[in-house]
Amino acid sequence: MELSEFADHLLDDVRSLLLQHWRHPLISERKKDASIVTEADRKTEMLIRERIKTAFPDHGILGEEFGAKAPDANMLWVIDPIDGTLSFARGLPLFGCLLACYRDGQQIFGAIEMPALDERYTASVAGELLLNGNLFTAEHHSSEEPMIATGDDSWFRDAGMDGFLTALQQQYFCRTLPDCFGHTLALRGAVDALVDVNLNYWDIAASPLLFAKAGKAFEVVGKRKINGITKYDIICGDPVWVQKLMALQKTTSPIR
């Protein structure tokens, strides 16, 4: 079975599972990094892991909730079972499941599954970018009044990048549109670019191939270690705007 076909069937079941739990009472708790995790996060990741293990027993897996299994395998799946868990737990529709597959460190598949919005963005290295199984077409808006999406203010403070956020807000119309929802807006062209910081690897692993297939840019502009975990800063979207924002970032906060 092709990876994209396997992932599509898997994401059908992921969607059903997440919608069963969304806007229903959930057991949630705080993790060591103060983020929340719900029973749906764990059930979703276990479902994905079990399917991968059955279909591709020699593949490695890296997931947010259950860590790494054979991370040095030449084929590695990266899972974020619920990106935007806080939105999910509060009944907001701005959450998704992120899935990526890498061969020898090069991405060959990526998916952003947004169950509550009925959107699924998928791409394989040999194929095109698809939205709900159909060829993706980006939106086109006037760039005279650009709109920039950003992650949460607190992430910029934690990364020591307050100056960059302030500069963005002073020069452009910015909206706080974090997590995978922001990625899909930048993919579609609903916003000109997304700037987000202090992210985990599983938060970003699915997106580079999707943006490349859409003719968009996806750039890691900084990284740092926090409690032994590498955190990433990214700018993605229209290539012209990504370059402009990268130049602004260099003048306001050092790349780490």
Side-chain angles (χ1 to χ4, degrees):
M1 181 183 294
E2 295 286 337
L3 286 182
S4 55
E5 182 183 0
F6 164 79
D8 212 39
H9 290 306
L10 171 57
L11 291 171
D12 285 341
D13 292 336
V14 165
R15 175 177 291 201
S16 296
L17 177 60
L18 289 176
L19 291 177
Q20 286 171 18
H21 287 277
W22 184 51
R23 292 183 173 171
H24 289 81
L26 287 167
I27 298 172
S28 62
E29 60 189 72
R30 291 281 176 181
K31 297 192 287 189
K32 290 181 179 180
D33 64 0
S35 64
I36 68 168
V37 60
T38 72
E39 57 185 322
D41 291 84
R42 294 185 174 123
K43 286 182 178 180
T44 301
E45 184 166 324
M46 284 306 302
L47 169 64
I48 297 171
R49 283 175 172 268
E50 289 169 2
R51 294 290 181 82
I52 293 171
K53 181 180 178 181
T54 299
F56 308 108
D58 58 335
H59 288 196
I61 301 173
L62 173 64
E64 178 176 8
E65 306 306 335
F66 297 105
K69 168 191 170 289
D72 296 326
N74 74 307
M75 297 285 284
L76 178 68
W77 292 85
V78 185
I79 307 164
D80 188 344
I82 304 180
D83 187 57
T85 299
L86 184 58
S87 292
F88 178 82
R90 301 283 293 194
L92 300 175
L94 311 181
F95 65 91
C97 175
L98 309 181
L99 187 63
C101 186
Y102 284 74
R103 178 190 292 126
D104 297 325
Q106 299 297 312
Q107 189 179 4
I108 60 171
F109 176 81
I112 299 176
E113 162 66 33
M114 306 282 289
L117 298 180
D118 190 28
E119 294 179 359
R120 180 180 302 166
Y121 301 81
T122 58
S124 64
V125 70
E128 303 293 335
L129 175 60
L130 303 178
L131 173 56
N132 295 337
N134 300 310
L135 189 64
F136 171 84
T137 303
E139 301 172 9
H140 296 283
H141 300 278
S142 170
S143 60
E144 293 178 3
E145 297 182 11
M147 180 184 291
I148 307 300
T150 69
D152 295 322
D153 291 11
S154 60
W155 293 114
F156 285 85
R157 289 195 300 271
D158 292 346
M161 298 178 70
D162 308 60
F164 184 30
L165 180 61
T166 298
L168 286 169
Q169 294 169 338
Q170 288 175 341
Q171 297 190 36
Y172 303 111
F173 179 65
C174 295
R175 297 290 301 270
T176 304
L177 298 163
D179 305 323
C180 55
F181 181 60
H183 286 231
T184 64
L185 295 180
L187 266 178
R188 287 169 39 204
V191 299
D192 294 281
L194 165 70
V195 182
D196 209 354
V197 302
N198 245 26
L199 305 173
N200 292 303
Y201 182 60
W202 44 77
D203 296 321
I204 65 172
S207 290
L209 182 60
L210 301 177
F211 277 81
K213 292 292 183 176
K216 302 292 180 75
F218 186 97
E219 299 288 346
V220 175
V221 297
K223 61 177 68 174
R224 68 192 57 80
K225 289 277 190 180
I226 298 180
N227 298 324
I229 298 173
T230 302
K231 298 287 188 173
Y232 300 85
D233 309 326
I234 61 107
I235 303 177
C236 56
D238 179 274
V240 172
W241 281 103
V242 168
Q243 290 300 314
K244 289 182 179 181
L245 299 182
M246 287 175 65
L248 178 63
Q249 190 260 354
K250 289 177 181 178
T251 68
T252 56
S253 50
I255 297 176
R256 298 183 235 185

